Amino acid sequence: MATDNTTRARRSRPARQWPSMADVAAMAGVSSQTVSRVANNRQNVDAGTREKVLSAMQSLGYRPNTAARALVTGRFGALGVVSFGMGAHGNARTLGAIADAAREADYSVNFMGVRAQTEAAVRHAFQHLMLQSVDGIVLVESQMLDTPSLRLPPSMPVVVADGDTGHAYPNVDFDQAHGAQSVVSHLLGLGHRTVWHLAGPADSFAARRRAEAWRRTLTDAGAPVPPVAYGDWSARSGYRTGLDLARRPEVTAVFAANDQMAMGLMRALHEAGRSVPGDVSVAGFDDIAEAPYLQPPLTTVHQDFEVVGKHCVALLLDQIEGRTDGPRRRAVEPVLVVRSSTAPPRPGSGTT
Amino acid sequence: MATDNTTRARRSRPARQWPSMADVAAMAGVSSQTVSRVANNRQNVDAGTREKVLSAMQSLGYRPNTAARALVTGRFGALGVVSFGMGAHGNARTLGAIADAAREADYSVNFMGVRAQTEAAVRHAFQHLMLQSVDGIVLVESQMLDTPSLRLPPSMPVVVADGDTGHAYPNVDFDQAHGAQSVVSHLLGLGHRTVWHLAGPADSFAARRRAEAWRRTLTDAGAPVPPVAYGDWSARSGYRTGLDLARRPEVTAVFAANDQMAMGLMRALHEAGRSVPGDVSVAGFDDIAEAPYLQPPLTTVHQDFEVVGKHCVALLLDQIEGRTDGPRRRAVEPVLVVRSSTAPPRPGSGTT
DNA sequence: GGCTGGTATGTTTGCGCCAACACGCTCCAG
DNA sequence: CTGGAGCGTGTTGGCGCAAACATACCAGCC
């Protein structure tokens, strides 16, 4: 990065290896403009002429040069996605869904992974994408939007997925509050005196919203609010917290902010001799594909990432194509899926 | 797709919203060529001049236009990645690693997800990428390379990750054979009479290589070769197979071709009252982050996706930059990780 | 017939950038 | 003191494409 590019760029102009419109035009005996019209599927071309051009394209193996096209149109046919690592299941699924939706709209996806939510890392990602090679950007779960030096130019369309809503950008998100509330209500409804919470990292907006909804649901129900434990979304962090919680006999129900942490949590409880759901009920969030096959099958909140991806692309295309009348926020409703990791508390348990 | 683009392209040329080199040049009082030299970090620019240009860039918010640059250099600064869905952990991890490595080299990553390994789907992906907008392509786990109509132009650099080795493209792969062999040997070494295998889908090359190594290791050891079951990498398919295997008392050890299937398998065995590893030992492949926290913690084969991503990018850059002396194949050694899901068979069990 | 309006096609132009070359200067060897 | 090499910089041209404008032709109409 930022090294001397002399050597790399020293290669002289490469020999033409792709035919251009002019080549096709010459072969078909028309002007290059007509070739352009055929390539862009314009209707005002005679059927016979179109045929000639198409067969010339075919035999020469012509492909339009996107760079030249982008230069003249100012559009790139590409969307940028900034996301924080493929380790998080949700991020990977969201990216896949965005890519699918983008392909439907004939856009390609330029992916920038960012390892850390540090200013430098995010700035680098933005700089790379903002080299004017994308028509818009989807930010997946970023908390960095308010850092002034990272502000994107106002002319760049942006959609934020699964992130903070306290900014001006259009936004697609799960209704985290509703999902978390449904889990906590479910557990309280089973008869638990209260529900403990293993939250995601404090700098994650989704984690904060889940924690807030958990707290509100408890207070609304008049249940005591136990201290919050924080993990980092990993099973490992769930395991560490689980070792702690297992030592507290008053813990009868735990809501983990994602399924991976719930896995670690259940493992720790098992090792400590606390059965799930006999002694402790555990619920997760995400409904990863493996959730039905955990031991026990995990009660969790299902999130439809496909829909999120679709909405992200739709909102972005609205901006790119200048439509301002569409919605600027979309919420996707998560659905509680009750399996076997939650049950009523043992009679007499859970008292302090 | 292939619709009339008239309306979309009808927008007249958008007002210039980005400053160009000429603007910077005017502000700095130099020629645009000098701006170009500064932008490309050439050394033959006077320090004072460079300073003036840089501050002009800064105050105008100048970003080089990659399309224009690509048009004249014939290079795009982008790598294409074709992969089959983000559902499979391995694919997601590999993509993330490729993106990281590409960023190190100042390339961006153009991601094309393909849902199905059908000819039409893959062709569409290739067409999109081959619109001369990437400098090279990484194919992650594709079996479609030999389909004649999909052949890529010889001028396009390609690297195949985790896929078939029976083709001319440079290749990065795990030493699947070695990994599978180490699992099977481990189980045989524990005293199991033989090891059953839950393979990945028949059209996956990685799955085939794992199955072949499993078979060879058994025959080399003089162990009987049980029939193979096939899954689709999902926990669900592992579960279904597990219900079958649980009914066969002679099954004392199973090698699942990935961790997700092992999870489903263990769940089915548990439901059928067969304990792991007491009655049946189970081993997986991949070492997903959650493997240590399954019940029981899963013996599996660790794969370092970061290294695979790095190698892919390195081999691709070799081709793009015209280096022909580098290696054309790289194998990454997977490592057996023994946890608690494997144990010696119960005395007297496993006889037919 | 001359006019209008529409359609198919061609010509010109310029997007922003960089390679190639030209230029003027300095420095040093011969 | 002259020739040539090296350096910083400017000038020119053209990459492939599509927008804008120009042209040719035809049909229908008063």
Side-chain angles (χ1 to χ4, degrees):
Chain A
M1 293 159 267
T3 54
D4 172 22
N5 288 340
T6 304
T7 50
R8 175 161 125 194
R10 259 284 150 269
R11 286 181 2 136
S12 65
R13 191 171 298 220
R16 274 256 298 322
Q17 41 185 336
W18 303 90
S20 76
M21 279 198 165
D23 301 320
V24 177
M27 186 172 186
V30 298
S31 75
S32 64
Q33 183 56 222
T34 299
V35 178
S36 168
R37 283 188 264 257
V38 172
N40 288 286
N41 238 331
R42 295 286 155 70
Q43 293 311 295
N44 53 346
V45 179
D46 182 77
T49 310
R50 180 186 303 272
E51 208 47 56
K52 273 192 307 188
V53 171
L54 285 175
S55 78
M57 283 178 170
Q58 186 85 31
S59 68
L60 289 174
Y62 169 77
R63 302 264 157 228
N65 181 318
T66 50
R69 177 177 286 171
L71 183 58
V72 67
T73 59
R75 320 264 312 275
F76 297 85
L79 307 179
V81 178
V82 177
S83 156
F84 293 85
M86 289 290 91
H89 172 80
N91 287 354
R93 294 283 308 280
T94 303
L95 172 63
I98 290 171
D100 287 344
R103 189 179 53 245
E104 293 287 312
D106 268 335
Y107 278 79
S108 63
V109 169
N110 219 282
F111 172 66
M112 280 301 292
V114 180
R115 277 178 190 283
Q117 294 232 10
T118 65
E119 190 177 326
V122 177
R123 190 194 346 264
H124 192 141
F126 280 14
Q127 278 180 355
H128 218 120
L129 284 176
M130 278 180 14
L131 295 175
Q132 303 177 40
S133 44
V134 295
D135 298 316
I137 296 180
V138 180
L139 290 170
V140 181
E141 231 235 324
S142 168
Q143 272 67 58
M144 310 292 295
L145 295 172
D146 296 326
T147 311
S149 73
L150 293 181
R151 200 141 296 154
L152 288 161
S155 53
M156 176 65 80
V158 173
V159 167
V160 176
D162 199 23
D164 202 323
T165 49
H167 50 73
Y169 297 121
N171 181 280
V172 177
D173 201 0
F174 290 107
D175 188 343
Q176 310 280 359
H178 180 250
Q181 186 256 327
S182 65
V183 175
V184 178
S185 297
H186 162 67
L187 288 164
L188 293 177
L190 288 172
H192 293 276
R193 187 164 156 269
T194 189
V195 178
W196 293 60
H197 184 42
L198 168 49
D203 63 357
S204 157
F205 190 71
R208 286 206 302 275
R209 295 226 348 245
R210 289 171 201 178
E212 281 158 22
W214 160 80
R215 185 185 308 272
R216 200 175 48 249
T217 309
L218 287 184
T219 52
D220 284 358
V225 178
V228 181
Y230 292 93
D232 62 4
W233 298 131
S234 72
R236 179 189 190 80
S237 67
Y239 178 79
R240 277 199 303 259
T241 304
L243 293 179
D244 265 5
L245 294 180
R247 280 196 295 270
R248 300 165 173 264
E250 72 271 25
V251 175
T252 67
V254 184
F255 163 38
N258 77 343
D259 289 351
Q260 273 83 13
M261 295 198 295
M263 288 171 71
L265 188 62
M266 292 203 295
R267 175 67 201 164
L269 292 171
H270 179 84
E271 282 184 9
R274 308 261 282 155
S275 81
V276 177
D279 296 316
V280 182
S281 287
V282 173
F285 209 105
D286 276 356
D287 195 26
I288 61 175
E290 292 79 30
Y293 306 102
L294 299 181
Q295 311 220 31
L298 186 66
T299 293
T300 184
V301 176
H302 180 82
Q303 308 201 89
D304 189 338
F305 293 102
E306 303 299 318
V307 173
V308 171
K310 274 205 210 344
H311 284 178
C312 284
V313 172
L315 288 184
L316 207 47
L317 293 186
D318 278 355
Q319 292 180 69
I320 292 169
E321 290 165 8
R323 289 189 296 273
T324 53
D325 53 339
R328 295 179 46 82
R329 299 213 182 288
R330 304 267 207 145
V332 178
E333 285 301 320
V335 179
L336 177 68
V337 181
V338 177
R339 298 201 179 91
S340 321
S341 65
T342 50
R346 253 191 238 297
S349 73
T351 52
T352 29
Chain B
M1 287 157 273
T3 55
D4 172 21
N5 287 340
T6 304
T7 51
R8 173 162 127 194
R10 257 288 150 267
R11 287 181 1 135
S12 66
R13 191 170 299 219
R16 272 256 300 317
Q17 41 184 335
W18 302 92
S20 76
M21 279 198 164
D23 301 318
V24 177
M27 184 171 187
V30 299
S31 75
S32 64
Q33 183 55 223
T34 299
V35 178
S36 166
R37 283 189 265 256
V38 173
N40 287 286
N41 236 332
R42 295 285 155 71
Q43 294 310 296
N44 52 346
V45 179
D46 181 77
T49 311
R50 180 187 303 272
E51 208 48 55
K52 274 191 305 185
V53 171
L54 285 176
S55 77
M57 283 178 171
Q58 186 86 31
S59 68
L60 290 174
Y62 169 77
R63 302 265 156 226
N65 181 316
T66 51
R69 178 177 284 170
L71 183 59
V72 66
T73 60
R75 321 264 312 271
F76 297 83
L79 308 179
V81 178
V82 177
S83 153
F84 294 86
M86 290 288 92
H89 265 58
N91 287 353
R93 294 283 308 281
T94 303
L95 171 64
I98 290 171
D100 287 345
R103 189 180 53 245
E104 293 288 312
D106 268 336
Y107 278 80
S108 64
V109 168
N110 219 280
F111 172 65
M112 280 302 292
V114 180
R115 277 178 189 285
Q117 294 232 11
T118 65
E119 191 177 326
V122 177
R123 183 180 7 248
H124 192 142
F126 281 14
Q127 279 181 353
H128 219 119
L129 285 175
M130 280 180 12
L131 294 175
Q132 303 178 37
S133 44
V134 295
D135 298 317
I137 295 179
V138 181
L139 290 169
V140 180
E141 231 236 323
S142 169
Q143 273 67 59
M144 310 293 294
L145 295 171
D146 296 326
T147 311
S149 72
L150 293 181
R151 199 140 298 153
L152 288 160
S155 52
M156 176 65 79
V158 172
V159 167
V160 176
D162 198 24
D164 202 324
T165 50
H167 50 73
Y169 297 120
N171 181 280
V172 177
D173 201 358
F174 291 107
D175 188 343
Q176 310 280 359
H178 179 250
Q181 185 255 327
S182 64
V183 175
V184 177
S185 297
H186 162 67
L187 288 164
L188 292 177
L190 288 172
H192 293 276
R193 188 164 157 267
T194 189
V195 177
W196 293 61
H197 184 44
L198 169 49
D203 63 358
S204 157
F205 190 71
R208 285 206 301 275
R209 294 222 352 241
R210 289 171 201 178
E212 280 159 20
W214 159 80
R215 185 185 309 273
R216 200 176 47 249
T217 309
L218 287 184
T219 52
D220 284 358
V225 178
V228 182
Y230 292 93
D232 62 5
W233 297 130
S234 72
R236 179 190 191 78
S237 68
Y239 178 79
R240 277 200 302 260
T241 305
L243 293 179
D244 263 6
L245 294 180
R247 281 196 295 269
R248 301 165 173 265
E250 73 271 25
V251 176
T252 68
V254 184
F255 163 39
N258 78 342
D259 288 352
Q260 273 81 14
M261 294 198 295
M263 289 172 70
L265 188 62
M266 292 202 295
R267 175 68 201 163
L269 293 170
H270 179 84
E271 282 184 9
R274 306 261 282 158
S275 81
V276 177
D279 296 316
V280 183
S281 286
V282 173
F285 209 105
D286 276 356
D287 194 26
I288 61 175
E290 292 77 30
Y293 306 101
L294 299 180
Q295 311 222 30
L298 187 66
T299 293
T300 184
V301 176
H302 180 81
Q303 308 201 88
D304 189 339
F305 292 103
E306 303 299 317
V307 173
V308 170
K310 274 206 213 336
H311 284 177
C312 285
V313 172
L315 288 184
L316 206 47
L317 292 186
D318 279 355
Q319 293 180 69
I320 291 169
E321 290 165 8
R323 289 188 295 272
T324 52
D325 52 339
R328 296 179 43 84
R329 300 213 182 288
R330 305 267 206 146
V332 179
E333 284 301 321
V335 179
L336 178 68
V337 180
V338 177
R339 298 202 178 91
S340 320
S341 67
T342 49
R346 254 191 236 297
S349 73
T351 50
T352 30

